[in-house]
Amino acid sequence: MAAVRCDLEDFAAEMFEPFARADQRRWGGVYLRGLLLDGGRKSVEPMAARLGEDGNRQALAHFVTSSPWDAAHVRARLAWRMQPVIKPTALIIDDTGFLKDGDASACVTRCRRTRLCAESRTDERAEQGDP
């Protein structure tokens, strides 16, 4: 991480530049670094522990759960930033969403039905003799 830290900080500054407050931009960079560090769990507490002196669990949790920023804007900036690098030749839209496990998963209320749900419902109909 030390070898690419400067590049990562520059990238984070570019991605989070539209954030209104300096603390949001700072914690956006810290969160990004935490996501890239080794370690199995990417939830706030284990990530904060791995971040060392930047691992203020409460501030990191506030950034992830309560700070008013729109993830869609960050994804859009990332897409524009990566377009010249990956030079896509096709656009594929997959609206299946992310597979979720349980009813307490992050974003579970905002996601559409997943393939898993569709397959389960198909299996149920097949068991009942419906086409």
Side-chain angles (χ1 to χ4, degrees):
M1 183 61 73
V4 296
R5 185 161 181 163
C6 186
D7 290 337
L8 183 60
E9 287 175 356
D10 290 345
F11 178 77
E14 182 181 343
M15 290 300 106
F16 302 123
E17 183 265 331
F19 286 10
R21 297 187 341 244
D23 64 322
Q24 289 176 310
R25 291 188 295 274
R26 177 183 184 277
W27 287 108
V30 171
Y31 180 64
L32 178 61
R33 194 163 16 103
L35 290 173
L36 295 174
L37 285 173
D38 290 336
R41 296 204 46 209
K42 300 299 180 181
S43 56
V44 171
E45 285 194 34
M47 191 184 302
R50 287 190 297 270
L51 283 164
E53 66 183 45
D54 281 336
N56 180 327
R57 189 200 59 77
Q58 185 175 3
L60 197 56
H62 176 75
F63 173 78
V64 172
T65 61
S66 304
S67 186
W69 58 277
D70 188 354
H73 289 268
V74 176
R75 285 193 299 269
R77 289 181 71 82
L78 179 61
W80 282 110
R81 171 71 161 75
M82 295 309 299
Q83 192 276 333
V85 176
I86 60 175
K87 299 177 182 147
T89 57
L91 175 64
I92 299 171
I93 300 173
D94 179 5
D95 68 348
T96 57
F98 297 101
L99 296 177
K100 297 295 179 183
D101 183 22
D103 60 357
S105 297
C107 304
V108 77
T109 59
R110 292 182 291 188
C111 293
R112 297 181 182 182
R113 294 182 197 267
T114 63
R115 277 190 207 135
L116 183 60
C117 290
E119 289 171 6
S120 297
R121 294 182 67 207
T122 302
D123 292 342
E124 288 171 15
R125 279 187 254 139
E127 289 173 10
Q128 296 169 358
D130 293 338

